[in-house]
Amino acid sequence: MQTEFIIKAAEAIHHAINVNESEIESLDREIGDGDHFINLKRGCSSVLDIKEKISVLSAEEALNHIGLKLLSTVGGASGPLLASFFIAYSQSEKENNLDPVNQTSKSFTSGVEAIKKRGKASTGEKTMLDVLIPVSILLNKLANENKDPLEIIPLIKEVALKGVLSTRDMIATKGRAANLGERAIGHVDPGAKSCQIMIETVCDLILNNK
Amino acid sequence: MQTEFIIKAAEAIHHAINVNESEIESLDREIGDGDHFINLKRGCSSVLDIKEKISVLSAEEALNHIGLKLLSTVGGASGPLLASFFIAYSQSEKENNLDPVNQTSKSFTSGVEAIKKRGKASTGEKTMLDVLIPVSILLNKLANENKDPLEIIPLIKEVALKGVLSTRDMIATKGRAANLGERAIGHVDPGAKSCQIMIETVCDLILNNK
Amino acid sequence: MKKFVNNVDDILVESLNGFASAHHDLVELNLEPKFIMRSKKASNKVALISGGGSGHEPLHNGYVGYGMLDAACPGHIFTSPTPDQMIEAAHKVESGKGVLFIVKNYTGDVMNFEMASEMMPFKNATILTCDDVSVINSTYTTGRRGVAGTVIVEKVVGSLAEKGADLESCKKLGDKVNHRCGSIGVALTSCIVPAAGRSTFEIQDNELEMGVGIHGEPGRRREPMRDADSIVADMVNAILEDFELRDIKLCPDDEILLLVNGFAATPLLELYLIYNSAAKLLKTKNLRVVRSLVGNYTTSLEMAGASITLCILDQEIKENWDSPVHTASLRWGI
Amino acid sequence: MKKFVNNVDDILVESLNGFASAHHDLVELNLEPKFIMRSKKASNKVALISGGGSGHEPLHNGYVGYGMLDAACPGHIFTSPTPDQMIEAAHKVESGKGVLFIVKNYTGDVMNFEMASEMMPFKNATILTCDDVSVINSTYTTGRRGVAGTVIVEKVVGSLAEKGADLESCKKLGDKVNHRCGSIGVALTSCIVPAAGRSTFEIQDNELEMGVGIHGEPGRRREPMRDADSIVADMVNAILEDFELRDIKLCPDDEILLLVNGFAATPLLELYLIYNSAAKLLKTKNLRVVRSLVGNYTTSLEMAGASITLCILDQEIKENWDSPVHTASLRWGI
Ligand SMILES: Nc1ncnc2c1ncn2[C@@H]1O[C@H](COP(=O)(O)OP(=O)(O)O)[C@@H](O)[C@H]1O
Ligand SMILES: Nc1ncnc2c1ncn2[C@@H]1O[C@H](COP(=O)(O)OP(=O)(O)O)[C@@H](O)[C@H]1O
Ligand SMILES: [Mg+2]
Ligand SMILES: [Mg+2]
Ligand SMILES: [Mg+2]
Ligand SMILES: [Mg+2]
């Protein structure tokens, strides 16, 4: 991965999060405490604040910086989780040297594993992992099958969206919504939604860059 | 005066105050603190609570008891003022022995003087005195002229009402509304209104008893 | 109206019972007539008695105890207490050196305390607090209202009384503190007197009431809602101008006690923000804030809003402010 | 949204500045990253650090000082703080006996403190408070939330740490207090996160939210508004049932600390009425309320409502509760 692409992705994500402000905000108001959008916005801004600084770094280093920056600015539940993702992703980029698709799949999976570990959670608990785990499984599968990136992207986007929707009918067992019991049913998880937006944004960026 | 009449009057005033709840309450909400009705209601109830006890007393004693009862239950600005009225009225009944009209005139005037003294106020300050003072002046005049009670009553009622209306365009210089400056203009004084209601009620009672 | 209430008529008694039972180590409750007094009667000191309408808690019940009041007489909500309460309380707490009433300057309070003063067998005197600068004194003859500065008067005089000073000295110090205090309040929302069941006044989402009274009485004027710094500057300037009008000279490096008082619904987070804004402004005017108090000390039921009180300190006031106090709502040094 | 605010993004920093300047004798503010610490560093004691989202003032900043916390790390409003705050605070206040975190059990707080714990060079341990009985533990795996009981944990452990106890003993006592605490809250109105600018939830004039969280999270259920005694009975019974469920046997004459905590807009008058109602009910159950605290100790911005916390005392907890404390919002014996 290129640092330039990382910065472009950060800018695109910042934009996409802002565009979806009201949806993200109201989802967290419904079954959380209403700050998920603000937390993400703060995180995105802080990453763009260090744009210049990371633009001269390797992709691994840039990702690690982003992780640490998120860790010290986002707060809440999503802060340490997203930070863990980027730190682990960076670590995996450092430790492996595979072809682009397999490398992405491996690093993404490391990131998701870090979230699982930090959040002590898995699928079916009405969290961002209901998007992230299916995406990482699919990525692995497609990488094993040696699929073309352009073929992969629409499938990823589809699975991410399915993941979001799957949270609607779940009772939450992790995060703030877990306190709601049955009352959480019928509401989509805000973290799942924001992750899906971020994934879709990066997918579209890759498509447009091709 | 008869103790029996005093009790009847107390009952009638209690009724009249309740009937006028919303007007009295809203007047005090507009330029005061909204409790004038509650204060009066508490006072009336407490007087009726000692009905049996005072029914065996002389009129003077009954009025004194009523004054003390009001003093210890009404509170606010109106409590000590109304209490002073009844205590002074009782005192004047004890000290003088005139014909009914002159006696009433004298005692009423003593009561009003007590209010003036306690409240350090006079007419034109947007208080209950804008009803009470004109009424006492008229009473004196009519008593001097040896008017018939039945002739007096309509005139008293008229003057009391005029007194109430006169407060509408005043700036208050006493009581809570004094803090409002110009903002009090256009609002009738709640204490003036409630005194007028009480006076009218007693007037009507006398008429009906005849 | 949404309140924690069983029966509107019982609110006060139930609340007083709760207060007395939560603080039974400090206070005792008398119900007929109503007053709160120290559970351990003080001896050989001027007896300090205050009181006023309820709905301003912790004023005054929360200030009964060592170093402050000997007794407090709560009236019905927003209605002054009656003379029998003060008289009966005085009989319980007077200890030979007379009684000093601390009374907020409202017609009702003044008259009820006045009658108590006339009817009681003890030597007594009264401090009338009138720190609210929102009421222009010269124009309206009842004079300023007593508001949150009363807490400072009660604390400072309470300390002097505890040291055994006589009635005249206590009264003199109280009058001095009152003279050196200025306060002004701002309301963002109204409040609901439970027995009335509806808001005392209406206020829009883009308005504030500058100079509101602690009963939700209208104040100086309705103004547009704006940023905190600008509201606070208007408040602080109103107080300083008033000192000037009253010929109280403020010298550079004068020491100030800054009290930021919440009316109830304004969060502590915002009260500290107001404090920050006021303290910064006072600094630019070369006044030194050396003592402070931030919190809900003189409230107006559930009103959102806050008042600012400045008290110009001197050695005597500062010493008596700092001395130990042990009440339900103000405690230090003990 | 009507608040005393200049710029929504600056609320926290301005408020922290106000807090630090009002209490400069007690605390110092660090801004990059944000934490409040004692102005006089304690020596040779376990360093107690707490923290959490802002908007719950005085929790936790108001509890920094002798006999309670060494530092507090405020997050953005209703958002947990970040690990760098805890790490930096630890570097400033650690004095050789390790660091004890007191953390309210919310996923965000837990994870951020966890990462701080992993990343810091000091011996450390964590007490997770989880006193909110409105969350049924068995069904939902994140466990109960930590609410007002946290104040009791901070006070009691703070006292033990001040006496020089080691990390393990402090952690053990904290866990015990937490275990013996049960809380439940009721909201009458919602609150507005300033950055969001609108109410977190909608609630009708005839409704209450039973079991509300301190971030205005929905609770057990929406219920009809009703009289205080009936609300309080449901709250107290929920706590007692929960003790039973957790196999905490309550014996007749067990000693209780009763904390009636206001969320902000509920007047002290009503809090004492709630206290009265709860104390009377506990008496009928032969439980003895021997310690009490009534006021706004763990708030939710401008929310109207209150929580009740029961803590079953024993000799050790009672002694450490009673020992001197000197913080901005809890002070006695000093
Ligand atoms: N244990 C967990 N594992 C994975 N994701 C979680 C966990 N807890 C919470 N989340 C995610 O975090 C989101 C909430 O983030 P945010 O609103 O920023 O933090 P907070 O809940 O502290 O306010 C949830 O919607 C959920 O997707
Ligand atoms: N100094 C005074 N002299 C005469 N009447 C007064 C004076 N001050 C107030 N009042 C009367 O008292 C009325 C208010 O009574 P009330 O509402 O019961 O007491 P409060 O103002 O203490 O709430 C006013 O409307 C006015 O008529
Ligand atoms: Mg959230
Ligand atoms: Mg009134
Ligand atoms: Mg009144
Ligand atoms: Mg949050």
Side-chain angles (χ1 to χ4, degrees), chain D residues 57-90:
Chain D
E57 290 68 23
L59 196 76
H60 300 270
N61 303 336
Y63 303 129
V64 173
Y66 180 85
M68 230 164 149
L69 301 178
D70 292 276
C73 303
H76 289 268
I77 291 175
F78 288 3
T79 299
S80 71
T82 54
D84 53 318
Q85 297 175 258
M86 285 71 101
I87 294 168
E88 200 48 36

Short mmCIF file of all heavy atoms in Angstrom, two decimals, chain D residues 57-90:
data_model
loop_
_atom_site.label_atom_id
_atom_site.label_comp_id
_atom_site.label_asym_id
_atom_site.label_seq_id
_atom_site.Cartn_x
_atom_site.Cartn_y
_atom_site.Cartn_z
N GLU D 57 -20.36 15.89 36.25
CA GLU D 57 -19.75 16.65 37.32
C GLU D 57 -20.65 16.67 38.57
O GLU D 57 -21.85 16.79 38.42
CB GLU D 57 -19.48 18.10 36.84
CG GLU D 57 -18.38 18.20 35.80
CD GLU D 57 -18.75 17.56 34.47
OE1 GLU D 57 -19.96 17.44 34.19
OE2 GLU D 57 -17.85 17.16 33.73
N PRO D 58 -20.09 16.56 39.76
CA PRO D 58 -18.66 16.63 40.08
C PRO D 58 -17.85 15.38 39.82
O PRO D 58 -16.64 15.42 40.02
CB PRO D 58 -18.67 16.96 41.58
CG PRO D 58 -19.94 16.40 42.09
CD PRO D 58 -20.93 16.56 40.97
N LEU D 59 -18.45 14.29 39.45
CA LEU D 59 -17.67 13.09 39.08
C LEU D 59 -16.80 13.43 37.86
O LEU D 59 -17.34 13.94 36.90
CB LEU D 59 -18.66 11.98 38.73
CG LEU D 59 -18.17 10.56 38.65
CD1 LEU D 59 -17.95 10.01 40.06
CD2 LEU D 59 -19.17 9.67 37.92
N HIS D 60 -15.53 13.16 37.84
CA HIS D 60 -14.63 12.70 38.90
C HIS D 60 -13.75 13.84 39.40
O HIS D 60 -13.13 13.70 40.46
CB HIS D 60 -13.72 11.58 38.37
CG HIS D 60 -14.47 10.39 37.88
ND1 HIS D 60 -14.81 9.32 38.70
CD2 HIS D 60 -14.99 10.09 36.68
CE1 HIS D 60 -15.47 8.41 38.00
NE2 HIS D 60 -15.61 8.85 36.78
N ASN D 61 -13.68 14.95 38.63
CA ASN D 61 -12.76 16.03 39.00
C ASN D 61 -13.00 16.54 40.41
O ASN D 61 -12.06 16.87 41.13
CB ASN D 61 -12.89 17.21 38.03
CG ASN D 61 -12.65 16.80 36.60
OD1 ASN D 61 -12.00 15.80 36.35
ND2 ASN D 61 -13.20 17.56 35.66
N GLY D 62 -14.26 16.60 40.79
CA GLY D 62 -14.62 17.14 42.09
C GLY D 62 -14.21 16.22 43.23
O GLY D 62 -14.40 16.59 44.40
N TYR D 63 -13.68 15.06 42.92
CA TYR D 63 -13.27 14.13 43.97
C TYR D 63 -11.76 13.94 44.02
O TYR D 63 -11.27 12.96 44.60
CB TYR D 63 -14.00 12.78 43.79
CG TYR D 63 -15.50 12.95 43.79
CD1 TYR D 63 -16.30 12.40 42.79
CD2 TYR D 63 -16.13 13.72 44.77
CE1 TYR D 63 -17.68 12.59 42.77
CE2 TYR D 63 -17.51 13.91 44.77
CZ TYR D 63 -18.27 13.35 43.77
OH TYR D 63 -19.62 13.55 43.77
N VAL D 64 -11.04 14.84 43.42
CA VAL D 64 -9.58 14.80 43.49
C VAL D 64 -9.14 15.60 44.71
O VAL D 64 -9.53 16.76 44.86
CB VAL D 64 -8.94 15.39 42.21
CG1 VAL D 64 -7.42 15.50 42.37
CG2 VAL D 64 -9.29 14.53 41.00
N GLY D 65 -8.36 14.99 45.56
CA GLY D 65 -7.87 15.69 46.75
C GLY D 65 -7.60 14.71 47.86
O GLY D 65 -7.79 13.49 47.69
N TYR D 66 -7.19 15.25 48.97
CA TYR D 66 -6.81 14.41 50.11
C TYR D 66 -7.94 13.45 50.48
O TYR D 66 -9.09 13.84 50.63
CB TYR D 66 -6.46 15.28 51.33
CG TYR D 66 -6.08 14.43 52.51
CD1 TYR D 66 -4.77 13.97 52.66
CD2 TYR D 66 -7.04 14.03 53.43
CE1 TYR D 66 -4.42 13.15 53.72
CE2 TYR D 66 -6.70 13.21 54.49
CZ TYR D 66 -5.39 12.76 54.63
OH TYR D 66 -5.06 11.93 55.67
N GLY D 67 -7.59 12.18 50.62
CA GLY D 67 -8.55 11.18 51.07
C GLY D 67 -9.40 10.61 49.96
O GLY D 67 -10.27 9.78 50.19
N MET D 68 -9.13 11.03 48.72
CA MET D 68 -9.93 10.48 47.62
C MET D 68 -9.00 10.26 46.42
O MET D 68 -7.98 9.56 46.55
CB MET D 68 -11.14 11.39 47.34
CG MET D 68 -12.45 10.61 47.28
SD MET D 68 -13.91 11.65 47.43
CE MET D 68 -15.07 10.69 46.43
N LEU D 69 -9.24 10.86 45.30
CA LEU D 69 -8.44 10.56 44.10
C LEU D 69 -7.14 11.36 44.06
O LEU D 69 -7.04 12.46 44.61
CB LEU D 69 -9.24 10.88 42.84
CG LEU D 69 -10.56 10.15 42.65
CD1 LEU D 69 -11.23 10.63 41.37
CD2 LEU D 69 -10.35 8.64 42.60
N ASP D 70 -6.15 10.79 43.36
CA ASP D 70 -4.93 11.55 43.07
C ASP D 70 -5.05 12.28 41.74
O ASP D 70 -4.47 13.34 41.55
CB ASP D 70 -3.73 10.60 43.05
CG ASP D 70 -3.45 10.07 44.44
OD1 ASP D 70 -2.77 10.75 45.21
OD2 ASP D 70 -3.97 8.97 44.78
N ALA D 71 -5.80 11.69 40.82
CA ALA D 71 -6.00 12.34 39.52
C ALA D 71 -7.30 11.86 38.90
O ALA D 71 -7.81 10.78 39.23
CB ALA D 71 -4.84 12.05 38.58
N ALA D 72 -7.84 12.69 38.02
CA ALA D 72 -9.04 12.32 37.27
C ALA D 72 -8.82 12.70 35.82
O ALA D 72 -8.25 13.75 35.52
CB ALA D 72 -10.26 13.05 37.83
N CYS D 73 -9.27 11.82 34.92
CA CYS D 73 -9.07 12.04 33.49
C CYS D 73 -10.43 12.24 32.83
O CYS D 73 -11.18 11.28 32.64
CB CYS D 73 -8.37 10.84 32.86
SG CYS D 73 -6.80 10.48 33.65
N PRO D 74 -10.77 13.48 32.48
CA PRO D 74 -12.07 13.74 31.88
C PRO D 74 -12.06 13.52 30.37
O PRO D 74 -11.22 14.07 29.66
CB PRO D 74 -12.31 15.22 32.21
CG PRO D 74 -10.94 15.81 32.29
CD PRO D 74 -10.01 14.71 32.72
N GLY D 75 -12.98 12.74 29.90
CA GLY D 75 -13.15 12.59 28.45
C GLY D 75 -14.03 13.70 27.92
O GLY D 75 -14.52 14.53 28.68
N HIS D 76 -14.25 13.70 26.62
CA HIS D 76 -15.24 14.62 26.08
C HIS D 76 -16.59 14.29 26.71
O HIS D 76 -16.74 13.26 27.37
CB HIS D 76 -15.32 14.47 24.55
CG HIS D 76 -14.10 15.01 23.87
ND1 HIS D 76 -14.01 16.30 23.42
CD2 HIS D 76 -12.92 14.43 23.60
CE1 HIS D 76 -12.82 16.50 22.89
NE2 HIS D 76 -12.13 15.37 22.98
N ILE D 77 -17.57 15.15 26.48
CA ILE D 77 -18.85 14.94 27.14
C ILE D 77 -19.45 13.58 26.75
O ILE D 77 -19.63 13.29 25.57
CB ILE D 77 -19.81 16.10 26.83
CG1 ILE D 77 -19.29 17.35 27.55
CG2 ILE D 77 -21.23 15.79 27.27
CD1 ILE D 77 -20.05 18.61 27.26
N PHE D 78 -19.69 12.77 27.74
CA PHE D 78 -20.27 11.42 27.60
C PHE D 78 -19.37 10.48 26.79
O PHE D 78 -19.86 9.46 26.27
CB PHE D 78 -21.67 11.46 26.99
CG PHE D 78 -22.73 11.99 27.92
CD1 PHE D 78 -22.41 12.44 29.20
CD2 PHE D 78 -24.07 12.03 27.55
CE1 PHE D 78 -23.37 12.91 30.07
CE2 PHE D 78 -25.05 12.49 28.42
CZ PHE D 78 -24.70 12.94 29.68
N THR D 79 -18.10 10.79 26.65
CA THR D 79 -17.19 9.91 25.90
C THR D 79 -15.98 9.60 26.76
O THR D 79 -15.38 10.51 27.33
CB THR D 79 -16.73 10.61 24.60
OG1 THR D 79 -17.88 10.88 23.80
CG2 THR D 79 -15.78 9.74 23.82
N SER D 80 -15.62 8.33 26.84
CA SER D 80 -14.53 7.96 27.74
C SER D 80 -13.23 8.66 27.34
O SER D 80 -13.03 9.01 26.19
CB SER D 80 -14.34 6.45 27.73
OG SER D 80 -13.79 6.07 26.52
N PRO D 81 -12.37 8.87 28.31
CA PRO D 81 -11.07 9.47 28.02
C PRO D 81 -10.18 8.48 27.27
O PRO D 81 -10.56 7.33 27.07
CB PRO D 81 -10.51 9.74 29.42
CG PRO D 81 -11.19 8.75 30.31
CD PRO D 81 -12.55 8.52 29.73
N THR D 82 -9.03 8.96 26.84
CA THR D 82 -8.14 8.12 26.03
C THR D 82 -6.92 7.71 26.86
O THR D 82 -6.57 8.39 27.84
CB THR D 82 -7.70 8.89 24.78
OG1 THR D 82 -7.14 10.16 25.16
CG2 THR D 82 -8.90 9.15 23.87
N PRO D 83 -6.27 6.61 26.47
CA PRO D 83 -5.20 6.05 27.32
C PRO D 83 -4.07 7.03 27.61
O PRO D 83 -3.49 6.98 28.71
CB PRO D 83 -4.69 4.87 26.48
CG PRO D 83 -5.81 4.51 25.57
CD PRO D 83 -6.54 5.78 25.30
N ASP D 84 -3.74 7.90 26.67
CA ASP D 84 -2.64 8.83 26.93
C ASP D 84 -2.91 9.70 28.16
O ASP D 84 -1.98 10.07 28.88
CB ASP D 84 -2.38 9.70 25.69
CG ASP D 84 -3.65 10.38 25.20
OD1 ASP D 84 -4.71 9.73 25.18
OD2 ASP D 84 -3.59 11.57 24.84
N GLN D 85 -4.19 10.02 28.41
CA GLN D 85 -4.52 10.82 29.60
C GLN D 85 -4.16 10.06 30.87
O GLN D 85 -3.54 10.60 31.78
CB GLN D 85 -6.01 11.18 29.60
CG GLN D 85 -6.45 12.04 28.45
CD GLN D 85 -7.96 12.25 28.42
OE1 GLN D 85 -8.67 11.62 27.66
NE2 GLN D 85 -8.47 13.13 29.26
N MET D 86 -4.57 8.79 30.91
CA MET D 86 -4.31 8.00 32.12
C MET D 86 -2.82 7.75 32.29
O MET D 86 -2.29 7.79 33.41
CB MET D 86 -5.06 6.66 32.03
CG MET D 86 -6.55 6.73 32.25
SD MET D 86 -7.46 7.52 30.89
CE MET D 86 -8.12 6.10 30.02
N ILE D 87 -2.13 7.52 31.18
CA ILE D 87 -0.70 7.22 31.27
C ILE D 87 0.07 8.44 31.77
O ILE D 87 0.90 8.36 32.68
CB ILE D 87 -0.17 6.77 29.88
CG1 ILE D 87 -0.82 5.44 29.49
CG2 ILE D 87 1.36 6.64 29.89
CD1 ILE D 87 -0.60 5.04 28.04
N GLU D 88 -0.26 9.58 31.19
CA GLU D 88 0.43 10.80 31.58
C GLU D 88 0.10 11.17 33.03
O GLU D 88 1.00 11.57 33.80
CB GLU D 88 -0.03 11.92 30.63
CG GLU D 88 0.83 13.12 30.53
CD GLU D 88 2.31 12.85 30.33
OE1 GLU D 88 2.66 11.88 29.62
OE2 GLU D 88 3.12 13.60 30.92
N ALA D 89 -1.17 11.02 33.41
CA ALA D 89 -1.55 11.29 34.79
C ALA D 89 -0.81 10.38 35.75
O ALA D 89 -0.31 10.81 36.80
CB ALA D 89 -3.07 11.13 34.97
N ALA D 90 -0.68 9.12 35.38
CA ALA D 90 0.03 8.16 36.23
C ALA D 90 1.48 8.59 36.42
O ALA D 90 2.01 8.54 37.53
CB ALA D 90 -0.04 6.76 35.62
#
